[in-house]
Amino acid sequence: MRTLLKAGLLTLVSVLGLALCVDALPLPKTLTTTVFAGADAGSSLNLGDYSGKTLVLLVAGRKSYDSAYEQAVRLTKEWGSNAKLAAFLVADLGGVPGFVKGAAQEALMKSHRAANSRLPAGTRIPTFLDWEGLFAKQLDIVGECNEAYQLY
């Protein structure tokens, strides 16, 4: 009985901890109407195309990409083919200097391919390349997603 109680309490603490770290909000219109480059070569993405779904956005900076992809993979595997939910990775690239833009894009494309290769067939994690830092500006998180990704 004591072990069951501890397990229940640990689960409750974990769920509350996750709930406290996540912001739920309607996205600003700017983010739903802007077309962003995608991590697949030559692709573009628009959040407006996902109207009616619950979207989970993981906004990540240079040091937090890998952990954000891991979380997106876990969520996507858990949801399976749920048509009402979708996880997206937003690469916050607003501070990337122009002379390293190509190398940054190549590294992101590699991480994107690796994450999607671990998903069931027909399932993908769309990745937005936000070169202007628009997500960070609109969500008021400028400079906060490099060390740890932000979840919305």
Side-chain angles (χ1 to χ4, degrees):
M1 180 70 171
R2 180 174 254 192
T3 304
L4 184 60
L5 184 59
K6 282 184 182 179
L9 185 58
L10 181 60
T11 301
L12 178 62
V13 169
S14 298
V15 169
L16 288 176
L18 179 61
L20 294 174
C21 297
V22 175
D23 289 320
L25 63 145
L27 291 172
K29 187 172 181 158
T30 304
L31 297 180
T32 60
T33 57
T34 302
V35 176
F36 293 88
D40 293 313
S43 69
S44 61
L45 298 166
N46 181 331
L47 281 177
D49 294 341
Y50 300 92
S51 179
K53 289 187 176 190
T54 298
L55 307 178
V56 176
L57 300 175
L58 296 101
V59 184
R62 181 175 52 96
K63 294 179 183 176
S64 62
Y65 293 134
D66 292 336
S67 56
Y69 271 118
E70 287 302 317
Q71 182 66 36
V73 166
R74 279 190 221 105
L75 290 171
T76 303
K77 282 183 176 179
E78 182 67 29
W79 293 334
S81 60
N82 189 326
K84 298 212 180 269
L85 297 167
F88 298 87
L89 186 81
V90 177
D92 180 23
L93 304 166
V96 174
F99 68 93
V100 295
K101 187 175 178 179
Q105 185 169 358
E106 185 59 38
L108 275 166
M109 291 171 76
K110 182 179 177 183
S111 294
H112 174 74
R113 285 189 301 270
N116 281 299
S117 71
R118 297 193 320 261
L119 294 173
T123 309
R124 299 207 39 82
I125 300 168
T127 300
F128 291 77
L129 303 181
D130 185 5
W131 294 106
E132 305 300 318
L134 187 60
F135 276 90
K137 290 173 193 166
Q138 291 292 311
L139 298 174
D140 198 27
I141 57 170
V142 174
E144 293 184 28
C145 55
N146 192 36
E147 297 295 326
Y149 62 87
Q150 305 294 310
L151 185 64
Y152 292 89

